[in-house]
Amino acid sequence: QFALTSNVLRLGYTYLASLGLDSRLQPHLDRLSATVGEAVSVSVLSGNEVVFVARSEAPGGSIAYVLKAGLKLPAFSSSSGRVLLAAKSDDDVTALLQATKIEARTPKTITDRKQVLDLVRKARERGYATNDQELELELFGLSVPIRNRAGGTVASLNVNSQARRVTAKRITDTLLPAMRACAQEISGVLL
């Protein structure tokens, strides 16, 4: 009897625009992608999942997993989800994890709820989160929070790469500084 129409897109776009997560993001994502030579994206938390709302990919770059706008991934096992969960209290994260069906997507997926909570705490402490082949083998994810003007985390800025291209030195010397600068720029356009 009921069917979704294009009006649902307008509703979704209105929500994202109200946060500042609309077309104003694209120039920032394009610059970051060109700077680091990797795919970058922005995601928001929706229940126990993250939803990707914007993306940019460096020309000629390729990663194992194609992250597109609208794609949903489990928050517990994605770097973006862990950064977004880090903005919540431990009690809220524990409750969300208890209500979540946790399944391994690869042999490297961390499925123990206590370990996931520890990773969320670590993300809160460090200001970033990683995912090393937990969603798909050979896929590495790195995420930092995007905050609104009031300082609240509203989204996650993510870099995704083939795992073999990522080293600890590259994370600390190149990726994190570029991502944090971009997240700060994006925060300047948010409401």
Side-chain angles (χ1 to χ4, degrees), residues 55-129:
R55 172 177 173 71
S56 182
E57 189 165 339
S62 78
I63 58 172
Y65 200 88
V66 178
L67 300 173
K68 298 179 180 176
L71 177 73
K72 292 181 180 182
L73 291 174
F76 80 91
S77 64
S78 61
S79 63
S80 54
R82 290 173 183 160
V83 158
L84 293 166
L85 291 174
K88 297 184 170 297
S89 71
D90 281 358
D91 289 343
D92 287 346
V93 174
T94 299
L96 186 131
L97 291 174
Q98 290 303 321
T100 299
K101 183 176 180 182
I102 296 185
E103 296 177 323
R105 293 176 73 131
T106 76
K108 295 187 174 217
T109 305
I110 296 169
T111 58
D112 179 80
R113 286 174 172 81
K114 184 180 178 326
Q115 286 181 296
V116 173
L117 180 59
D118 287 344
L119 290 170
V120 169
R121 287 176 177 148
K122 188 183 261 189
R124 187 181 301 134
E125 194 177 288
R126 298 187 308 189
Y128 71 92

Side-chain angles (χ1 to χ4, degrees), residues 83-84 123 127-128 143-147 153-157 179 183-184 187:
V83 158
L84 293 166
Y128 71 92
S143 299
V144 298
I146 296 174
R147 293 184 169 88
T153 299
V154 295
S156 174
L157 177 64
M179 292 173 70
Q184 186 67 35
S187 293

